[in-house]
Amino acid sequence: MAEHDLRAQGWQPRQTPGFMATAGPLWTRREGDGWAYGVWVQAPHLNPAGLMHGGALLTLVDHALSTVAWQASERTPCLTLQLDTHFMAAVLPDTFVEVRAQLSHRTRGLLFLRGRASVGEQTVLQAQAVLKIAGPSRPDV
């Protein structure tokens, strides 16, 4: 798959500030009411074994979960309190890894999410997370 193939499928590269700018480039695609996030795995993402570094994959997953939490909290910053992950398969270089995340449950100050990273149809990581809404909680939530 090449960059023009990603664009043809609706993916767009995103310029992000901070750490994610060094962990990408990040690609996004609108899917219904949500978003999908992806990274084209290249040399900077690899571990010494030549596979996608687990930390790089976790960064992508945490970013996706945090962005969904940010949207669910009406664009209030959220802090990751807990991130449970299960690595299911290795990610090879020159592949495109995609992440989708969903809000499972919320309380007044916490958001519970789950996420899935995949290459094509193959799940490479599953995650569950708890994020704390960092701003003031709204009384009606």
PDB file of all heavy atoms in Angstrom, residues 65-102:
ATOM      1  N   LEU A  65      -7.129   6.400  22.093  1.00  0.00           N
ATOM      2  CA  LEU A  65      -8.012   6.347  23.261  1.00  0.00           C
ATOM      3  C   LEU A  65      -8.195   7.735  23.867  1.00  0.00           C
ATOM      4  O   LEU A  65      -9.306   8.140  24.220  1.00  0.00           O
ATOM      5  CB  LEU A  65      -7.449   5.381  24.306  1.00  0.00           C
ATOM      6  CG  LEU A  65      -7.462   3.895  23.931  1.00  0.00           C
ATOM      7  CD1 LEU A  65      -6.546   3.104  24.847  1.00  0.00           C
ATOM      8  CD2 LEU A  65      -8.871   3.336  23.947  1.00  0.00           C
ATOM      9  N   SER A  66      -7.102   8.470  23.988  1.00  0.00           N
ATOM     10  CA  SER A  66      -7.156   9.813  24.575  1.00  0.00           C
ATOM     11  C   SER A  66      -7.972  10.770  23.723  1.00  0.00           C
ATOM     12  O   SER A  66      -8.693  11.623  24.249  1.00  0.00           O
ATOM     13  CB  SER A  66      -5.741  10.371  24.755  1.00  0.00           C
ATOM     14  OG  SER A  66      -5.021   9.580  25.660  1.00  0.00           O
ATOM     15  N   THR A  67      -7.873  10.637  22.417  1.00  0.00           N
ATOM     16  CA  THR A  67      -8.637  11.515  21.530  1.00  0.00           C
ATOM     17  C   THR A  67     -10.128  11.224  21.636  1.00  0.00           C
ATOM     18  O   THR A  67     -10.949  12.143  21.676  1.00  0.00           O
ATOM     19  CB  THR A  67      -8.148  11.370  20.082  1.00  0.00           C
ATOM     20  OG1 THR A  67      -6.750  11.681  20.048  1.00  0.00           O
ATOM     21  CG2 THR A  67      -8.877  12.316  19.152  1.00  0.00           C
ATOM     22  N   VAL A  68     -10.490   9.953  21.705  1.00  0.00           N
ATOM     23  CA  VAL A  68     -11.902   9.590  21.887  1.00  0.00           C
ATOM     24  C   VAL A  68     -12.397  10.100  23.236  1.00  0.00           C
ATOM     25  O   VAL A  68     -13.503  10.643  23.342  1.00  0.00           O
ATOM     26  CB  VAL A  68     -12.107   8.075  21.735  1.00  0.00           C
ATOM     27  CG1 VAL A  68     -13.510   7.656  22.146  1.00  0.00           C
ATOM     28  CG2 VAL A  68     -11.826   7.652  20.299  1.00  0.00           C
ATOM     29  N   ALA A  69     -11.578   9.982  24.274  1.00  0.00           N
ATOM     30  CA  ALA A  69     -11.957  10.492  25.596  1.00  0.00           C
ATOM     31  C   ALA A  69     -12.131  12.011  25.563  1.00  0.00           C
ATOM     32  O   ALA A  69     -13.072  12.554  26.150  1.00  0.00           O
ATOM     33  CB  ALA A  69     -10.897  10.104  26.624  1.00  0.00           C
ATOM     34  N   TRP A  70     -11.225  12.687  24.881  1.00  0.00           N
ATOM     35  CA  TRP A  70     -11.290  14.144  24.759  1.00  0.00           C
ATOM     36  C   TRP A  70     -12.598  14.565  24.086  1.00  0.00           C
ATOM     37  O   TRP A  70     -13.260  15.512  24.516  1.00  0.00           O
ATOM     38  CB  TRP A  70     -10.067  14.604  23.973  1.00  0.00           C
ATOM     39  CG  TRP A  70      -9.943  16.059  23.716  1.00  0.00           C
ATOM     40  CD1 TRP A  70      -9.622  17.039  24.620  1.00  0.00           C
ATOM     41  CD2 TRP A  70     -10.094  16.719  22.455  1.00  0.00           C
ATOM     42  NE1 TRP A  70      -9.566  18.256  23.995  1.00  0.00           N
ATOM     43  CE2 TRP A  70      -9.851  18.089  22.666  1.00  0.00           C
ATOM     44  CE3 TRP A  70     -10.392  16.286  21.172  1.00  0.00           C
ATOM     45  CZ2 TRP A  70      -9.914  19.026  21.647  1.00  0.00           C
ATOM     46  CZ3 TRP A  70     -10.460  17.216  20.152  1.00  0.00           C
ATOM     47  CH2 TRP A  70     -10.218  18.573  20.397  1.00  0.00           C
ATOM     48  N   GLN A  71     -12.986  13.845  23.042  1.00  0.00           N
ATOM     49  CA  GLN A  71     -14.247  14.148  22.367  1.00  0.00           C
ATOM     50  C   GLN A  71     -15.441  13.841  23.267  1.00  0.00           C
ATOM     51  O   GLN A  71     -16.394  14.615  23.329  1.00  0.00           O
ATOM     52  CB  GLN A  71     -14.347  13.357  21.059  1.00  0.00           C
ATOM     53  CG  GLN A  71     -13.346  13.798  20.020  1.00  0.00           C
ATOM     54  CD  GLN A  71     -13.237  12.824  18.858  1.00  0.00           C
ATOM     55  OE1 GLN A  71     -13.694  11.691  18.919  1.00  0.00           O
ATOM     56  NE2 GLN A  71     -12.602  13.279  17.783  1.00  0.00           N
ATOM     57  N   ALA A  72     -15.389  12.728  23.994  1.00  0.00           N
ATOM     58  CA  ALA A  72     -16.493  12.330  24.877  1.00  0.00           C
ATOM     59  C   ALA A  72     -16.649  13.278  26.061  1.00  0.00           C
ATOM     60  O   ALA A  72     -17.742  13.398  26.610  1.00  0.00           O
ATOM     61  CB  ALA A  72     -16.271  10.905  25.381  1.00  0.00           C
ATOM     62  N   SER A  73     -15.579  13.947  26.447  1.00  0.00           N
ATOM     63  CA  SER A  73     -15.635  14.888  27.578  1.00  0.00           C
ATOM     64  C   SER A  73     -15.803  16.324  27.096  1.00  0.00           C
ATOM     65  O   SER A  73     -15.484  17.256  27.818  1.00  0.00           O
ATOM     66  CB  SER A  73     -14.367  14.761  28.423  1.00  0.00           C
ATOM     67  OG  SER A  73     -13.233  15.176  27.668  1.00  0.00           O
ATOM     68  N   GLU A  74     -16.311  16.472  25.884  1.00  0.00           N
ATOM     69  CA  GLU A  74     -16.538  17.786  25.275  1.00  0.00           C
ATOM     70  C   GLU A  74     -15.265  18.608  25.212  1.00  0.00           C
ATOM     71  O   GLU A  74     -15.227  19.766  25.602  1.00  0.00           O
ATOM     72  CB  GLU A  74     -17.679  18.515  25.981  1.00  0.00           C
ATOM     73  CG  GLU A  74     -18.991  17.769  25.852  1.00  0.00           C
ATOM     74  CD  GLU A  74     -20.155  18.476  26.511  1.00  0.00           C
ATOM     75  OE1 GLU A  74     -19.995  19.596  27.024  1.00  0.00           O
ATOM     76  OE2 GLU A  74     -21.243  17.874  26.492  1.00  0.00           O
ATOM     77  N   ARG A  75     -14.201  17.961  24.750  1.00  0.00           N
ATOM     78  CA  ARG A  75     -12.894  18.577  24.520  1.00  0.00           C
ATOM     79  C   ARG A  75     -12.240  19.083  25.797  1.00  0.00           C
ATOM     80  O   ARG A  75     -11.538  20.084  25.797  1.00  0.00           O
ATOM     81  CB  ARG A  75     -12.993  19.660  23.463  1.00  0.00           C
ATOM     82  CG  ARG A  75     -13.425  19.105  22.126  1.00  0.00           C
ATOM     83  CD  ARG A  75     -13.424  20.119  21.042  1.00  0.00           C
ATOM     84  NE  ARG A  75     -13.699  19.433  19.778  1.00  0.00           N
ATOM     85  CZ  ARG A  75     -13.345  19.883  18.616  1.00  0.00           C
ATOM     86  NH1 ARG A  75     -12.700  21.012  18.500  1.00  0.00           N
ATOM     87  NH2 ARG A  75     -13.633  19.204  17.530  1.00  0.00           N
ATOM     88  N   THR A  76     -12.456  18.336  26.856  1.00  0.00           N
ATOM     89  CA  THR A  76     -11.757  18.589  28.117  1.00  0.00           C
ATOM     90  C   THR A  76     -10.572  17.634  28.167  1.00  0.00           C
ATOM     91  O   THR A  76     -10.720  16.445  27.872  1.00  0.00           O
ATOM     92  CB  THR A  76     -12.690  18.327  29.324  1.00  0.00           C
ATOM     93  OG1 THR A  76     -13.838  19.164  29.189  1.00  0.00           O
ATOM     94  CG2 THR A  76     -11.991  18.602  30.631  1.00  0.00           C
ATOM     95  N   PRO A  77      -9.389  18.112  28.528  1.00  0.00           N
ATOM     96  CA  PRO A  77      -8.237  17.209  28.621  1.00  0.00           C
ATOM     97  C   PRO A  77      -8.501  16.055  29.587  1.00  0.00           C
ATOM     98  O   PRO A  77      -9.170  16.219  30.614  1.00  0.00           O
ATOM     99  CB  PRO A  77      -7.114  18.106  29.133  1.00  0.00           C
ATOM    100  CG  PRO A  77      -7.527  19.487  28.743  1.00  0.00           C
ATOM    101  CD  PRO A  77      -9.030  19.501  28.830  1.00  0.00           C
ATOM    102  N   CYS A  78      -7.969  14.891  29.228  1.00  0.00           N
ATOM    103  CA  CYS A  78      -8.114  13.691  30.047  1.00  0.00           C
ATOM    104  C   CYS A  78      -6.735  13.094  30.314  1.00  0.00           C
ATOM    105  O   CYS A  78      -5.830  13.219  29.491  1.00  0.00           O
ATOM    106  CB  CYS A  78      -8.987  12.666  29.342  1.00  0.00           C
ATOM    107  SG  CYS A  78     -10.677  13.232  29.060  1.00  0.00           S
ATOM    108  N   LEU A  79      -6.607  12.431  31.438  1.00  0.00           N
ATOM    109  CA  LEU A  79      -5.363  11.777  31.824  1.00  0.00           C
ATOM    110  C   LEU A  79      -5.565  10.269  31.809  1.00  0.00           C
ATOM    111  O   LEU A  79      -6.554   9.761  32.351  1.00  0.00           O
ATOM    112  CB  LEU A  79      -4.951  12.199  33.239  1.00  0.00           C
ATOM    113  CG  LEU A  79      -4.855  13.699  33.501  1.00  0.00           C
ATOM    114  CD1 LEU A  79      -4.659  13.954  34.982  1.00  0.00           C
ATOM    115  CD2 LEU A  79      -3.740  14.291  32.684  1.00  0.00           C
ATOM    116  N   THR A  80      -4.628   9.548  31.223  1.00  0.00           N
ATOM    117  CA  THR A  80      -4.702   8.094  31.228  1.00  0.00           C
ATOM    118  C   THR A  80      -4.309   7.592  32.610  1.00  0.00           C
ATOM    119  O   THR A  80      -3.188   7.809  33.055  1.00  0.00           O
ATOM    120  CB  THR A  80      -3.760   7.492  30.169  1.00  0.00           C
ATOM    121  OG1 THR A  80      -4.091   8.040  28.886  1.00  0.00           O
ATOM    122  CG2 THR A  80      -3.874   5.977  30.131  1.00  0.00           C
ATOM    123  N   LEU A  81      -5.249   6.955  33.316  1.00  0.00           N
ATOM    124  CA  LEU A  81      -4.973   6.382  34.631  1.00  0.00           C
ATOM    125  C   LEU A  81      -4.522   4.934  34.526  1.00  0.00           C
ATOM    126  O   LEU A  81      -3.666   4.481  35.277  1.00  0.00           O
ATOM    127  CB  LEU A  81      -6.217   6.441  35.522  1.00  0.00           C
ATOM    128  CG  LEU A  81      -6.769   7.820  35.851  1.00  0.00           C
ATOM    129  CD1 LEU A  81      -8.020   7.673  36.719  1.00  0.00           C
ATOM    130  CD2 LEU A  81      -5.727   8.665  36.559  1.00  0.00           C
ATOM    131  N   GLN A  82      -5.126   4.215  33.589  1.00  0.00           N
ATOM    132  CA  GLN A  82      -4.827   2.798  33.443  1.00  0.00           C
ATOM    133  C   GLN A  82      -4.963   2.428  31.977  1.00  0.00           C
ATOM    134  O   GLN A  82      -5.912   2.844  31.314  1.00  0.00           O
ATOM    135  CB  GLN A  82      -5.803   1.980  34.279  1.00  0.00           C
ATOM    136  CG  GLN A  82      -5.562   0.497  34.243  1.00  0.00           C
ATOM    137  CD  GLN A  82      -6.500  -0.236  35.201  1.00  0.00           C
ATOM    138  OE1 GLN A  82      -6.996   0.327  36.157  1.00  0.00           O
ATOM    139  NE2 GLN A  82      -6.729  -1.500  34.914  1.00  0.00           N
ATOM    140  N   LEU A  83      -4.006   1.661  31.484  1.00  0.00           N
ATOM    141  CA  LEU A  83      -4.047   1.181  30.106  1.00  0.00           C
ATOM    142  C   LEU A  83      -3.619  -0.278  30.118  1.00  0.00           C
ATOM    143  O   LEU A  83      -2.454  -0.585  30.346  1.00  0.00           O
ATOM    144  CB  LEU A  83      -3.123   2.016  29.210  1.00  0.00           C
ATOM    145  CG  LEU A  83      -2.998   1.604  27.744  1.00  0.00           C
ATOM    146  CD1 LEU A  83      -4.362   1.563  27.059  1.00  0.00           C
ATOM    147  CD2 LEU A  83      -2.053   2.558  27.012  1.00  0.00           C
ATOM    148  N   ASP A  84      -4.581  -1.165  29.941  1.00  0.00           N
ATOM    149  CA  ASP A  84      -4.319  -2.600  29.909  1.00  0.00           C
ATOM    150  C   ASP A  84      -4.266  -3.038  28.456  1.00  0.00           C
ATOM    151  O   ASP A  84      -5.197  -2.768  27.690  1.00  0.00           O
ATOM    152  CB  ASP A  84      -5.424  -3.373  30.625  1.00  0.00           C
ATOM    153  CG  ASP A  84      -5.530  -3.018  32.094  1.00  0.00           C
ATOM    154  OD1 ASP A  84      -4.495  -2.759  32.715  1.00  0.00           O
ATOM    155  OD2 ASP A  84      -6.665  -2.991  32.604  1.00  0.00           O
ATOM    156  N   THR A  85      -3.199  -3.722  28.088  1.00  0.00           N
ATOM    157  CA  THR A  85      -3.040  -4.122  26.698  1.00  0.00           C
ATOM    158  C   THR A  85      -2.685  -5.595  26.586  1.00  0.00           C
ATOM    159  O   THR A  85      -2.088  -6.178  27.487  1.00  0.00           O
ATOM    160  CB  THR A  85      -1.937  -3.294  26.009  1.00  0.00           C
ATOM    161  OG1 THR A  85      -0.714  -3.460  26.724  1.00  0.00           O
ATOM    162  CG2 THR A  85      -2.307  -1.825  25.959  1.00  0.00           C
ATOM    163  N   HIS A  86      -3.065  -6.147  25.464  1.00  0.00           N
ATOM    164  CA  HIS A  86      -2.709  -7.512  25.110  1.00  0.00           C
ATOM    165  C   HIS A  86      -2.171  -7.480  23.687  1.00  0.00           C
ATOM    166  O   HIS A  86      -2.912  -7.174  22.751  1.00  0.00           O
ATOM    167  CB  HIS A  86      -3.929  -8.439  25.193  1.00  0.00           C
ATOM    168  CG  HIS A  86      -4.492  -8.545  26.563  1.00  0.00           C
ATOM    169  ND1 HIS A  86      -4.019  -9.441  27.492  1.00  0.00           N
ATOM    170  CD2 HIS A  86      -5.474  -7.844  27.176  1.00  0.00           C
ATOM    171  CE1 HIS A  86      -4.694  -9.294  28.619  1.00  0.00           C
ATOM    172  NE2 HIS A  86      -5.579  -8.328  28.450  1.00  0.00           N
ATOM    173  N   PHE A  87      -0.876  -7.774  23.555  1.00  0.00           N
ATOM    174  CA  PHE A  87      -0.279  -7.862  22.232  1.00  0.00           C
ATOM    175  C   PHE A  87      -0.683  -9.199  21.622  1.00  0.00           C
ATOM    176  O   PHE A  87      -0.523 -10.247  22.239  1.00  0.00           O
ATOM    177  CB  PHE A  87       1.247  -7.757  22.327  1.00  0.00           C
ATOM    178  CG  PHE A  87       1.721  -6.386  22.732  1.00  0.00           C
ATOM    179  CD1 PHE A  87       1.925  -6.074  24.068  1.00  0.00           C
ATOM    180  CD2 PHE A  87       1.961  -5.409  21.778  1.00  0.00           C
ATOM    181  CE1 PHE A  87       2.366  -4.820  24.449  1.00  0.00           C
ATOM    182  CE2 PHE A  87       2.400  -4.146  22.145  1.00  0.00           C
ATOM    183  CZ  PHE A  87       2.604  -3.850  23.477  1.00  0.00           C
ATOM    184  N   MET A  88      -1.199  -9.151  20.396  1.00  0.00           N
ATOM    185  CA  MET A  88      -1.727 -10.355  19.758  1.00  0.00           C
ATOM    186  C   MET A  88      -0.849 -10.849  18.610  1.00  0.00           C
ATOM    187  O   MET A  88      -0.860 -12.033  18.295  1.00  0.00           O
ATOM    188  CB  MET A  88      -3.134 -10.075  19.212  1.00  0.00           C
ATOM    189  CG  MET A  88      -4.069  -9.399  20.206  1.00  0.00           C
ATOM    190  SD  MET A  88      -4.482 -10.406  21.619  1.00  0.00           S
ATOM    191  CE  MET A  88      -5.622 -11.530  20.896  1.00  0.00           C
ATOM    192  N   ALA A  89      -0.121  -9.922  17.971  1.00  0.00           N
ATOM    193  CA  ALA A  89       0.716 -10.297  16.822  1.00  0.00           C
ATOM    194  C   ALA A  89       1.736  -9.197  16.581  1.00  0.00           C
ATOM    195  O   ALA A  89       1.528  -8.052  16.966  1.00  0.00           O
ATOM    196  CB  ALA A  89      -0.133 -10.510  15.572  1.00  0.00           C
ATOM    197  N   ALA A  90       2.823  -9.567  15.920  1.00  0.00           N
ATOM    198  CA  ALA A  90       3.856  -8.600  15.575  1.00  0.00           C
ATOM    199  C   ALA A  90       3.396  -7.749  14.395  1.00  0.00           C
ATOM    200  O   ALA A  90       2.606  -8.192  13.563  1.00  0.00           O
ATOM    201  CB  ALA A  90       5.153  -9.327  15.212  1.00  0.00           C
ATOM    202  N   VAL A  91       3.915  -6.514  14.351  1.00  0.00           N
ATOM    203  CA  VAL A  91       3.626  -5.616  13.237  1.00  0.00           C
ATOM    204  C   VAL A  91       4.904  -5.467  12.421  1.00  0.00           C
ATOM    205  O   VAL A  91       5.936  -5.029  12.934  1.00  0.00           O
ATOM    206  CB  VAL A  91       3.127  -4.245  13.733  1.00  0.00           C
ATOM    207  CG1 VAL A  91       2.853  -3.325  12.547  1.00  0.00           C
ATOM    208  CG2 VAL A  91       1.880  -4.405  14.604  1.00  0.00           C
ATOM    209  N   LEU A  92       4.825  -5.831  11.168  1.00  0.00           N
ATOM    210  CA  LEU A  92       5.980  -5.811  10.278  1.00  0.00           C
ATOM    211  C   LEU A  92       6.225  -4.411   9.728  1.00  0.00           C
ATOM    212  O   LEU A  92       5.299  -3.591   9.650  1.00  0.00           O
ATOM    213  CB  LEU A  92       5.752  -6.782   9.115  1.00  0.00           C
ATOM    214  CG  LEU A  92       5.508  -8.239   9.496  1.00  0.00           C
ATOM    215  CD1 LEU A  92       5.132  -9.051   8.265  1.00  0.00           C
ATOM    216  CD2 LEU A  92       6.724  -8.820  10.190  1.00  0.00           C
ATOM    217  N   PRO A  93       7.466  -4.147   9.316  1.00  0.00           N
ATOM    218  CA  PRO A  93       7.735  -2.859   8.679  1.00  0.00           C
ATOM    219  C   PRO A  93       6.989  -2.743   7.350  1.00  0.00           C
ATOM    220  O   PRO A  93       6.611  -3.742   6.742  1.00  0.00           O
ATOM    221  CB  PRO A  93       9.248  -2.862   8.462  1.00  0.00           C
ATOM    222  CG  PRO A  93       9.685  -4.265   8.616  1.00  0.00           C
ATOM    223  CD  PRO A  93       8.652  -4.978   9.422  1.00  0.00           C
ATOM    224  N   ASP A  94       6.777  -1.499   6.936  1.00  0.00           N
ATOM    225  CA  ASP A  94       6.114  -1.174   5.685  1.00  0.00           C
ATOM    226  C   ASP A  94       4.687  -1.708   5.637  1.00  0.00           C
ATOM    227  O   ASP A  94       4.193  -2.144   4.601  1.00  0.00           O
ATOM    228  CB  ASP A  94       6.925  -1.665   4.477  1.00  0.00           C
ATOM    229  CG  ASP A  94       6.585  -0.884   3.217  1.00  0.00           C
ATOM    230  OD1 ASP A  94       6.260   0.320   3.334  1.00  0.00           O
ATOM    231  OD2 ASP A  94       6.621  -1.479   2.128  1.00  0.00           O
ATOM    232  N   THR A  95       4.023  -1.693   6.805  1.00  0.00           N
ATOM    233  CA  THR A  95       2.599  -2.016   6.872  1.00  0.00           C
ATOM    234  C   THR A  95       1.890  -0.839   7.519  1.00  0.00           C
ATOM    235  O   THR A  95       2.508   0.022   8.145  1.00  0.00           O
ATOM    236  CB  THR A  95       2.323  -3.299   7.693  1.00  0.00           C
ATOM    237  OG1 THR A  95       2.845  -3.142   9.016  1.00  0.00           O
ATOM    238  CG2 THR A  95       2.936  -4.520   7.038  1.00  0.00           C
ATOM    239  N   PHE A  96       0.595  -0.808   7.375  1.00  0.00           N
ATOM    240  CA  PHE A  96      -0.211   0.265   7.950  1.00  0.00           C
ATOM    241  C   PHE A  96      -0.998  -0.306   9.111  1.00  0.00           C
ATOM    242  O   PHE A  96      -1.787  -1.235   8.945  1.00  0.00           O
ATOM    243  CB  PHE A  96      -1.151   0.843   6.884  1.00  0.00           C
ATOM    244  CG  PHE A  96      -1.873   2.075   7.331  1.00  0.00           C
ATOM    245  CD1 PHE A  96      -1.187   3.265   7.524  1.00  0.00           C
ATOM    246  CD2 PHE A  96      -3.235   2.051   7.556  1.00  0.00           C
ATOM    247  CE1 PHE A  96      -1.847   4.417   7.926  1.00  0.00           C
ATOM    248  CE2 PHE A  96      -3.912   3.196   7.958  1.00  0.00           C
ATOM    249  CZ  PHE A  96      -3.216   4.379   8.142  1.00  0.00           C
ATOM    250  N   VAL A  97      -0.755   0.216  10.304  1.00  0.00           N
ATOM    251  CA  VAL A  97      -1.473  -0.236  11.497  1.00  0.00           C
ATOM    252  C   VAL A  97      -2.547   0.788  11.820  1.00  0.00           C
ATOM    253  O   VAL A  97      -2.302   1.997  11.798  1.00  0.00           O
ATOM    254  CB  VAL A  97      -0.511  -0.495  12.685  1.00  0.00           C
ATOM    255  CG1 VAL A  97       0.231   0.743  13.093  1.00  0.00           C
ATOM    256  CG2 VAL A  97      -1.255  -1.083  13.878  1.00  0.00           C
ATOM    257  N   GLU A  98      -3.760   0.295  12.085  1.00  0.00           N
ATOM    258  CA  GLU A  98      -4.925   1.140  12.341  1.00  0.00           C
ATOM    259  C   GLU A  98      -5.434   0.911  13.753  1.00  0.00           C
ATOM    260  O   GLU A  98      -5.384  -0.216  14.254  1.00  0.00           O
ATOM    261  CB  GLU A  98      -6.058   0.801  11.369  1.00  0.00           C
ATOM    262  CG  GLU A  98      -5.679   0.851   9.925  1.00  0.00           C
ATOM    263  CD  GLU A  98      -6.781   0.355   9.007  1.00  0.00           C
ATOM    264  OE1 GLU A  98      -7.978   0.376   9.409  1.00  0.00           O
ATOM    265  OE2 GLU A  98      -6.459  -0.046   7.880  1.00  0.00           O
ATOM    266  N   VAL A  99      -5.954   1.969  14.369  1.00  0.00           N
ATOM    267  CA  VAL A  99      -6.536   1.857  15.705  1.00  0.00           C
ATOM    268  C   VAL A  99      -7.921   2.489  15.702  1.00  0.00           C
ATOM    269  O   VAL A  99      -8.122   3.572  15.152  1.00  0.00           O
ATOM    270  CB  VAL A  99      -5.658   2.553  16.771  1.00  0.00           C
ATOM    271  CG1 VAL A  99      -6.320   2.477  18.147  1.00  0.00           C
ATOM    272  CG2 VAL A  99      -4.273   1.935  16.820  1.00  0.00           C
ATOM    273  N   ARG A 100      -8.837   1.781  16.339  1.00  0.00           N
ATOM    274  CA  ARG A 100     -10.180   2.300  16.576  1.00  0.00           C
ATOM    275  C   ARG A 100     -10.470   2.158  18.052  1.00  0.00           C
ATOM    276  O   ARG A 100     -10.087   1.154  18.660  1.00  0.00           O
ATOM    277  CB  ARG A 100     -11.202   1.543  15.743  1.00  0.00           C
ATOM    278  CG  ARG A 100     -11.080   1.907  14.274  1.00  0.00           C
ATOM    279  CD  ARG A 100     -11.826   0.966  13.367  1.00  0.00           C
ATOM    280  NE  ARG A 100     -11.622   1.347  11.988  1.00  0.00           N
ATOM    281  CZ  ARG A 100     -10.531   1.022  11.272  1.00  0.00           C
ATOM    282  NH1 ARG A 100      -9.562   0.300  11.812  1.00  0.00           N
ATOM    283  NH2 ARG A 100     -10.410   1.415  10.014  1.00  0.00           N
ATOM    284  N   ALA A 101     -11.127   3.158  18.614  1.00  0.00           N
ATOM    285  CA  ALA A 101     -11.415   3.167  20.048  1.00  0.00           C
ATOM    286  C   ALA A 101     -12.861   3.592  20.263  1.00  0.00           C
ATOM    287  O   ALA A 101     -13.411   4.373  19.481  1.00  0.00           O
ATOM    288  CB  ALA A 101     -10.465   4.119  20.768  1.00  0.00           C
ATOM    289  N   GLN A 102     -13.455   3.072  21.329  1.00  0.00           N
ATOM    290  CA  GLN A 102     -14.837   3.392  21.666  1.00  0.00           C
ATOM    291  C   GLN A 102     -14.959   3.640  23.160  1.00  0.00           C
ATOM    292  O   GLN A 102     -14.296   2.970  23.963  1.00  0.00           O
ATOM    293  CB  GLN A 102     -15.802   2.261  21.306  1.00  0.00           C
ATOM    294  CG  GLN A 102     -15.793   1.812  19.884  1.00  0.00           C
ATOM    295  CD  GLN A 102     -14.726   0.769  19.630  1.00  0.00           C
ATOM    296  OE1 GLN A 102     -14.388  -0.020  20.494  1.00  0.00           O
ATOM    297  NE2 GLN A 102     -14.172   0.787  18.441  1.00  0.00           N
TER     298      GLN A 102
END
